[in-house]
Amino acid sequence: MGSVRRRRGASSLVLLCAMAVLTAPGLATGTAYAAPGAPAAPAVPGAPAAPLPGPGGKSLEQVRKDIDELYRQAGTATDAYNLAEAETKTQSDKIVEIANLVVAGKERIATLKSRAGAAARAQYRSGGLPPGARLALSEDPNQFLDGADRLRQGEKAASDLLSELDRTQTDLQRYAEEASERWKKLEANRVKQEESKKQIEEKIKAAEELESKLEAEEKARLIQLEQEAQYRAQTAWLSTGAMKDVGGKATDAGKQAVQFATAQMGKPYKWGAVGPDSFDCSGLTSQAWRAAGRGIPRTSQEQLRLLPKIALKDMRPGDLIIYFDDASHVGMYVGDGAMIHAPRPGRNVTLAGAGSMPIKAVVRPDA
């Protein structure tokens, strides 16, 4: 069976075939799909077999590696940006919550002070005489005792009132301190966002400048080199027997997530995007699972950190594959060696081999 899978994985898979695979009955039933190989490269009349020279005298293959590395670094910065953005929203929401508590606390203090003032005025009207004097002047001892009991109750109420007032003021002080700390974190996250945004823009600009220096023929050959590199990685991965025991069936939620993800094929990558017209890698996976009724972390690094990890052999459609040592990329497994992902700027949401990039871990949103 392993050799059959490897032969299937080594075969070329064009986009039309990929769409046919994903719309086949297997998608609904959880049946495994054929492992994809390298998509067919666009035909370039007269393209030489040997790599064309790239900018600065570098080989086109080296240019491809440089561009890939720049985009990977941009992906890492994108994850940092997305995380900072999510944390900033959390801090902002908490500050609003604290502000509401402060308003409620101030209103409570005003009410308590009003009650304390009323109690003080009542005591003033009683003349403020000591109990012995009031007993001596009272014509009815029983009436005095009743009054004394009410006085004790009043004193306890006043004491409770002052204690509550003190607690409320302490709470307000704590709210103010907490709001100050939240504000500091909010500002730190905003700075982090700006730094990450700058890094993203710099890396993408550098990669785009490298690509812009290529002639049309070189750009076509660059795409072909990308596909060949992915194909080699996928074939090498399959040859290890990685897919030998993998055959898990998708859950109902997993099917919904896969269907959402595949419906986005052809939409462009855009850093920080969560749809509906464009996505970054974790934007696609988080929105796919949201469509399936499961909220998951926004970034690939948080998906790795917070979602349950599973063994590769237990992988099933809908699971997320985290790539690279820094967990800077993520794709969704769709069956038998294939995954769908938003690759990088300048590329669209597409199907690829699950082993076409270094796998760090597999996580399960619906464990």
Side-chain angles (χ1 to χ4, degrees), residues 183-365:
W183 184 259
K184 290 177 183 177
K185 290 180 180 179
L186 182 66
E187 289 304 303
N189 283 332
R190 284 176 175 161
V191 170
K192 183 179 176 182
Q193 274 183 281
E194 288 303 315
E195 291 174 349
S196 297
K197 182 179 179 181
K198 183 179 178 181
Q199 290 178 26
I200 294 165
E201 291 171 342
E202 287 175 351
K203 300 299 181 184
I204 291 177
K205 182 180 179 181
E208 289 175 342
E209 285 179 352
L210 275 178
E211 285 195 84
S212 69
K213 294 175 182 177
L214 300 175
E215 301 294 336
E217 188 178 355
E218 292 173 324
K219 288 180 180 178
R221 177 63 177 150
L222 181 67
I223 293 174
Q224 186 176 354
L225 288 174
E226 288 178 1
Q227 294 167 345
E228 289 173 356
Q230 292 169 9
Y231 171 75
R232 287 193 302 271
Q234 173 75 354
T235 303
W237 180 67
L238 290 172
S239 70
T240 66
M243 291 298 300
K244 181 180 178 182
D245 299 319
V246 178
K249 297 184 181 297
T251 61
D252 288 342
K255 293 174 190 175
Q256 293 177 42
V258 170
Q259 288 166 358
F260 177 93
T262 55
Q264 313 312 313
M265 287 181 68
K267 293 183 179 180
Y269 177 104
K270 181 180 179 183
W271 66 267
V274 291
D277 300 321
S278 57
F279 297 87
D280 62 20
C281 65
S282 57
L284 176 66
T285 54
S286 61
Q287 290 305 302
W289 273 102
R290 184 178 295 275
R294 304 292 176 94
I296 66 171
R298 167 66 179 88
T299 71
S300 57
Q301 292 174 349
E302 289 296 279
Q303 288 168 3
L304 172 65
R305 188 173 72 87
L306 298 175
L307 296 179
K309 298 177 183 62
I310 62 165
L312 185 66
K313 66 181 180 62
D314 297 324
M315 189 164 58
R316 69 191 185 199
D319 288 341
L320 305 184
I321 306 175
I322 310 296
Y323 293 99
F324 303 110
D325 287 340
D326 59 1
S328 57
H329 193 70
V330 61
M332 178 178 289
Y333 182 63
V334 295
D336 196 20
M339 64 92 172
I340 190 165
H341 69 146
R344 66 166 177 83
R347 299 291 183 262
N348 298 331
V349 175
T350 188
L351 193 75
S356 58
M357 292 174 286
I359 296 175
K360 182 175 180 66
V362 180
V363 297
R364 177 162 292 167

Side-chain angles (χ1 to χ4, degrees), residues 2-320:
S3 62
V4 173
R5 289 182 183 274
R6 288 194 290 273
R7 288 198 297 273
R8 290 164 67 190
S11 62
S12 176
L13 180 66
V14 295
L15 183 58
L16 183 60
C17 293
M19 292 299 291
V21 166
L22 291 170
T23 54
L27 181 61
T29 62
T31 304
Y33 315 117
V44 181
L52 296 171
K58 291 185 177 181
S59 70
L60 199 57
E61 173 63 11
Q62 186 57 53
V63 172
R64 179 194 70 78
K65 290 180 178 179
D66 291 346
I67 290 173
D68 280 354
E69 179 59 21
L70 285 167
Y71 278 128
R72 200 179 75 75
Q73 291 173 12
T76 302
T78 297
D79 225 35
Y81 175 90
N82 289 337
L83 181 59
E85 185 176 46
E87 289 175 341
T88 295
K89 184 180 184 306
T90 299
Q91 302 300 339
S92 296
D93 292 344
K94 187 63 180 177
I95 287 174
V96 171
E97 179 184 334
I98 293 172
N100 290 333
L101 290 173
V102 169
V103 170
K106 287 183 176 179
E107 290 175 352
R108 180 63 178 160
I109 284 177
T111 300
L112 292 173
K113 285 182 175 180
S114 176
R115 286 171 53 191
R121 288 191 294 274
Q123 186 177 12
Y124 175 77
R125 285 193 297 270
S126 72
L129 294 174
R134 290 200 300 275
L135 175 61
L137 295 174
S138 175
E139 296 179 358
D140 185 348
N142 289 328
Q143 183 179 6
F144 166 75
L145 292 174
D146 289 341
D149 184 58
R150 287 195 297 272
L151 180 61
R152 284 193 297 273
Q153 293 176 4
E155 288 174 344
K156 183 179 184 304
S159 176
D160 291 345
L161 187 67
L162 292 174
S163 295
E164 187 175 354
L165 180 61
D166 185 60
R167 285 194 303 270
T168 303
Q169 289 175 326
T170 300
D171 286 344
L172 278 179
Q173 178 63 30
R174 189 179 75 252
Y175 296 153
E177 292 172 356
E178 187 176 347
S180 177
E181 287 302 311
R182 293 283 180 175
W183 184 259
K184 290 177 183 177
K185 290 180 180 179
L186 182 66
E187 289 304 303
N189 283 332
R190 284 176 175 161
V191 170
K192 183 179 176 182
Q193 274 183 281
E194 288 303 315
E195 291 174 349
S196 297
K197 182 179 179 181
K198 183 179 178 181
Q199 290 178 26
I200 294 165
E201 291 171 342
E202 287 175 351
K203 300 299 181 184
I204 291 177
K205 182 180 179 181
E208 289 175 342
E209 285 179 352
L210 275 178
E211 285 195 84
S212 69
K213 294 175 182 177
L214 300 175
E215 301 294 336
E217 188 178 355
E218 292 173 324
K219 288 180 180 178
R221 177 63 177 150
L222 181 67
I223 293 174
Q224 186 176 354
L225 288 174
E226 288 178 1
Q227 294 167 345
E228 289 173 356
Q230 292 169 9
Y231 171 75
R232 287 193 302 271
Q234 173 75 354
T235 303
W237 180 67
L238 290 172
S239 70
T240 66
M243 291 298 300
K244 181 180 178 182
D245 299 319
V246 178
K249 297 184 181 297
T251 61
D252 288 342
K255 293 174 190 175
Q256 293 177 42
V258 170
Q259 288 166 358
F260 177 93
T262 55
Q264 313 312 313
M265 287 181 68
K267 293 183 179 180
Y269 177 104
K270 181 180 179 183
W271 66 267
V274 291
D277 300 321
S278 57
F279 297 87
D280 62 20
C281 65
S282 57
L284 176 66
T285 54
S286 61
Q287 290 305 302
W289 273 102
R290 184 178 295 275
R294 304 292 176 94
I296 66 171
R298 167 66 179 88
T299 71
S300 57
Q301 292 174 349
E302 289 296 279
Q303 288 168 3
L304 172 65
R305 188 173 72 87
L306 298 175
L307 296 179
K309 298 177 183 62
I310 62 165
L312 185 66
K313 66 181 180 62
D314 297 324
M315 189 164 58
R316 69 191 185 199
D319 288 341
L320 305 184

